[in-house]
Amino acid sequence: MIDAVFGYAPGKVILFGEHAVVYGQPAIAGTIDRGIRVAVTQKDGRADAGHLEGPLFRSHSLGLRARPDPNGEGPEGLRKALAVLVELYGERVKHLVLSAEGTIPAGAGLGSSAALSVALLRGVQRVLDEPALRDDALVERAFALERVFHGNPSGVDHTTIALGGCVAYRRSNGDGAASVERLKLPRRLRLAVAVAGSHGGTARAVAALKDRARRHQGAYQRIYEGIGALATEGRAALEEGALAAVGELMDLNQGYLNALGVSTPAIEALCATARERGALGAKLSGAGGGGAVIALVEDDPATIVRAFEAHGVPSFATEIVDGTAVEAA
Ligand code: PMV
């Protein structure tokens, strides 16, 4: 008998707007067919991480295993996140054993921490036999966990991951709610993804950019606004299914990200390779300084995945899907 209960959440990519979204500009993100699964058992249950093995979780184990006890084992961030779970659900969660594995690497701009947050919440809800959280409650609780990992996140990651699918997001400027809209995509959005190493931390990248921007505030502000305009145009192109235009706008977005200093020679080389091999467009996804590069393709991403692999970086094909359904597969 397996007595583990699972919570799953997909990873995500950002098609338009990372960094500028922190400063109030719109962004477009989408969930993918890979993610994080958390197994939850009662303390004396016999299930362990072994039960997580399955076709979905063959690779990229995150190797996290911890109890929801602030004094328990596990990396610092995870321990703090577990303390938040105790705040949200009370002492009863101290009797749970949680383990997480996934098919997205951590710290690569693919939303691993937000996916972990949402998967934890789904798993704990289930093991406590509570009804599934409504979208807004899930987003709010995931934000409490995400803040532990990211300090002051814009919210695009955990909101997209909690909702699933392709999402247009704009953070609130004051006390009001963020603007969140699910987009209907008339065409499949197929991607080749390369992981150009770990990106060295979202909070650090955001802080370093803030510091650089201090010296030329007007110039940086215009770049953020330029990125925001690309996200708005990108949204229209996505909703029309005009994939060639989406790709061109992604290339422009990458140019701005390079100007902001969050790209690297390795990322630029991967983007160039993707474009040479026929990608419609390519850019980094997430905080940059390493991490994921995404290339939009018309048909099969396999050629570009192979070209990425020739750079010696882990790569995979994916597409934007309502990734929450993958769990049932
Ligand atoms: O954590 P990442 O690598 O997916 O980056 C998140 C996107 C940023 O805009 C850089 C930060 C944020 O809070 O939106």
Side-chain angles (χ1 to χ4, degrees):
M1 188 188 82
I2 295 175
D3 52 3
V5 171
F6 296 99
Y8 176 82
K12 66 96 212 1
V13 295
I14 298 181
L15 296 167
F16 298 101
E18 49 274 272
H19 286 292
V21 68
V22 173
Y23 299 97
Q25 298 296 327
I28 314 280
T31 49
I32 59 174
D33 59 359
R34 290 168 166 248
I36 303 280
R37 185 159 67 167
V38 168
V40 189
T41 58
Q42 299 293 335
K43 206 173 203 163
D44 299 315
R46 52 180 285 263
D48 60 26
H51 291 118
L52 292 171
E53 281 165 20
L56 196 59
F57 293 97
R58 267 196 300 261
S59 56
H60 300 307
S61 167
L62 296 177
L64 300 175
R65 189 146 197 279
R67 283 183 191 152
D69 177 346
N71 302 315
E73 57 194 292
E76 184 62 21
L78 186 62
R79 250 189 290 156
K80 287 192 190 147
L82 298 176
V84 173
L85 282 181
V86 175
E87 270 167 38
L88 291 172
Y89 292 95
E91 293 288 307
R92 58 200 168 139
V93 297
K94 288 190 175 173
H95 298 290
L96 303 177
V97 178
L98 309 165
S99 57
E101 286 193 55
T103 44
I104 47 172
L110 295 171
S112 64
S113 67
L116 178 62
S117 301
V118 173
L120 277 171
L121 290 166
R122 289 192 170 132
V124 169
Q125 271 310 108
R126 266 186 208 152
V127 85
L128 297 179
D129 224 9
E130 292 191 354
L133 290 168
R134 282 183 19 207
D135 283 350
D136 51 351
L138 180 62
V139 167
E140 193 184 314
R141 291 188 170 206
F143 199 29
L145 287 166
E146 213 12 25
R147 267 196 226 107
V148 167
F149 296 116
H150 280 328
N152 180 26
S154 69
V156 64
D157 277 21
H158 76 272
T159 303
T160 304
I161 284 168
L163 299 183
C166 192
V167 169
Y169 180 87
R170 189 168 197 159
R171 85 185 299 176
S172 82
N173 286 324
D175 294 339
S179 146
V180 182
E181 288 171 85
R182 272 200 180 101
L183 304 188
K184 271 211 167 72
L185 302 180
R187 304 267 310 269
R188 287 171 77 178
L189 281 194
R190 296 168 147 193
L191 301 166
V193 179
V195 180
S198 157
H199 69 19
T202 303
R204 192 185 302 174
V206 170
L209 175 55
K210 191 173 178 189
D211 197 45
R212 286 197 293 281
R214 241 191 280 278
R215 295 190 285 281
H216 306 282
Q217 277 184 5
Y220 278 82
Q221 181 56 30
R222 284 190 290 280
I223 294 178
Y224 299 144
E225 286 164 9
I227 292 174
L230 292 178
T232 302
E233 277 184 55
R235 172 185 177 158
L238 284 164
E239 289 180 319
E240 280 163 23
L243 295 193
V246 173
E248 285 169 5
L249 294 166
M250 286 169 67
D251 284 343
L252 284 165
N253 195 159
Q254 177 59 26
Y256 278 133
L257 289 165
N258 197 2
L260 291 177
V262 297
S263 190
T264 64
I267 289 171
E268 292 302 319
L270 288 162
C271 288
T273 294
R275 291 171 194 141
E276 274 160 24
R277 299 296 173 98
L280 300 171
K283 63 182 277 296
L284 67 82
S285 169
V293 171
I294 58 173
L296 180 67
V297 297
E298 186 84 54
D299 299 313
D300 186 0
T303 314
I304 293 173
V305 168
R306 276 196 298 275
F308 280 160
E309 281 167 351
H311 284 251
V313 294
S315 307
F316 58 89
T318 189
E319 65 183 296
I320 304 294
V321 289
D322 175 353
T324 49
V326 173
E327 182 185 15

